Each structure stands twice: as structure tokens, then as C-alpha cells.
Amino acid sequence: PLSTTPLTQCTMLILIGNQKGGAGKSTLTLLLANYLAQQHDRRVTVLDMDHQQSLSAKAEKAKILENEPLYEIVPADLGHFPAMQRKLEKSRNEIVLVDLPGKMDDDGLIPIFAAADAVLCPFAFDEFSVDSTLLFAMVIGKINSRAPLVFVPNRIKNTVKYETRTEVEKVLRVFGTVAPGLPDRIDFQRVNSLHTPSILYPVILPLLDLIYDQYIAKQVSP
């Protein structure tokens, strides 16, 4: 049977994923990585396992500009994880964020799910996104019931009916916690591996502070 013990008490593995592509995984990964590195001076490594590898592309672009990176972004295939896990087990006081692929049709995901210390799942309030989110939650829950699952409402539009949102959140709370959401704003396109626009801080801090206080600060010592 697969072990679902954490990597170590000094390293934390946080997955950011959903069964549906385009849910906002990569943006949420960058927001959290920037926040941890800049606001809390944490050691962060990002594993870019999404097939599009947009985070790795942004990191390469930052290198061309000769800016000092806040953290390392490593492009990785699912098959690389067991070897990476052995390396991560030797790290101390490090937070590893994994931007997962947008599909769950690869058995290589199983050891990653099993090793997770927490899982963040961005989603939208449309029917297709909610169905994909529930499927993702059920698979995660079967493989790793230890890791808390945090749903992050993303790209919230003013047109979303309150009754729809309440009903969806009620269903999701069967599987995990529903965090404060992120609005649909063009400014999120300006987030990169070096910088989060200051105009976004009022809307992202309630979410990121909650994730940090509830799930990270207690597990990884500064």
C-alpha cells in the first residue's frame, strides 16, 4: 500500500490542481509562491508538472531580464517525482508547490497525491468546472485522506447567482474547506515569478493569509 506520511516535518508539499484545465492553477501557484517568498521569507521550490509548462516559460523569461529569482521553478514530468521526493526529503524548512497537469489520466499522479501535505483546488462556478472539481476531490480523498483539501473559488463574476454559489459550496464542503475567492480581474495576467502587482493585494491577502495561517505556519517552522 502507498504511504501517506508527509515528506518530513521540515518540508511541506502543496499540490495545486483540478481535473479541468484553465481553472487558474498556474496563477494561484505563482501568487502563493511570491507571497511565501516575499511576505514570509520562506524557501520555496515550484515543480511545474502542467503539460503547458507556462510557469517554466515565465521563469526563463525572467532569467533573460537578468532578475534574481525569488525561488526555483523546475519543469518536471510525473515520472520524475519519486527521484525528486528522495531529494526533497533531505531539504529543511522548504515549501514545495506542485502545479499539476490538467488531467487525471496518468498513474504517475498517484505517488504525488499520496505524498501531499495539502491540496489547493481552484475552480469556477460553472457546471463543467464544478463536476471536474468534484471528480478531482473524490480521487484525492481516496488516495490521501490525510491532506486537507482547500477549494479556491476563482474568476468570480458578478453575474454568479448567490443561490448557485451557496449550493455548490455546500456540496464541496463535504470534501474539504471552501476558501475566500478571487475575482475575475485582468490584473491577474500580470502576475509573474518575480512580481505580484500591488493592486491585487487587497483581494488576494484574505485567501493567502488563511492558507498560510491554517495550513503552513503550523507545519513548517520559519
Side-chain angles (χ1 to χ4, degrees):
L2 280 164
S3 168
T4 57
T5 53
L7 288 170
T8 68
Q9 291 192 339
C10 302
T11 300
M12 185 173 190
L13 184 72
I14 302 175
L15 309 184
I16 298 96
N18 195 322
Q19 158 73 356
K20 181 179 180 294
K25 299 181 292 85
S26 299
T27 300
L28 180 57
T29 303
L30 286 178
L31 288 171
L32 182 57
N34 292 352
Y35 169 85
L36 291 171
Q38 294 180 311
Q39 302 296 314
H40 293 282
D41 199 26
R42 295 290 199 159
R43 286 184 60 206
V44 177
T45 297
V46 175
L47 300 185
D48 184 3
M49 292 188 167
D50 190 28
H51 298 311
Q52 294 180 356
Q53 300 210 317
S54 59
L55 295 185
S56 304
K58 287 191 177 188
E60 287 303 312
K61 193 174 179 181
K63 285 180 186 175
I64 294 170
L65 298 173
E66 297 184 351
N67 290 303
E68 189 67 31
L70 298 171
Y71 44 82
E72 189 175 8
I73 296 179
V74 182
D77 293 327
L78 295 174
H80 296 156
F81 182 75
M84 288 183 162
Q85 186 176 13
R86 289 191 288 274
K87 179 178 181 291
L88 295 171
E89 284 170 348
K90 298 172 185 174
S91 303
R92 297 188 64 81
N93 299 332
E94 186 168 4
I95 301 167
V96 180
L97 308 180
V98 181
D99 185 13
L100 291 171
K103 291 185 177 180
M104 290 193 301
D105 54 359
D106 193 316
D107 288 345
L109 286 165
I110 295 173
I112 301 174
F113 287 174
D117 296 299
V119 182
L120 307 180
C121 179
F123 73 97
F125 282 105
D126 63 89
E127 185 177 352
F128 185 61
S129 178
V130 171
D131 288 346
S132 300
T133 301
L134 289 171
L135 176 60
F136 179 80
M138 285 187 273
V139 172
I140 285 278
K142 285 188 175 181
I143 296 172
N144 184 345
S145 59
R146 171 185 57 82
L149 176 56
V150 183
F151 299 101
V152 179
N154 192 29
R155 298 178 183 147
I156 300 173
K157 296 180 170 64
N158 294 331
T159 53
V160 175
K161 293 180 182 176
Y162 180 77
E163 312 87 73
T164 305
R165 181 168 180 174
T166 304
E167 197 61 37
V168 168
E169 291 184 355
K170 181 180 176 183
V171 174
L172 293 179
R173 286 194 181 99
V174 173
F175 299 93
T177 303
V178 181
L182 297 174
D184 187 22
R185 286 180 56 160
I186 194 79
D187 303 299
F188 283 108
Q189 295 179 15
R190 294 166 49 212
V191 177
N192 58 40
S193 60
L194 297 166
H195 172 69
T196 297
S198 55
I199 195 170
L200 289 175
Y201 272 84
V203 298
I204 63 173
L205 284 180
L207 168 66
L208 300 179
D209 285 344
L210 179 140
I211 292 170
Y212 185 80
D213 294 341
Q214 294 292 321
Y215 305 102
I216 298 175
K218 298 172 185 176
Q219 181 154 332
V220 188
S221 55

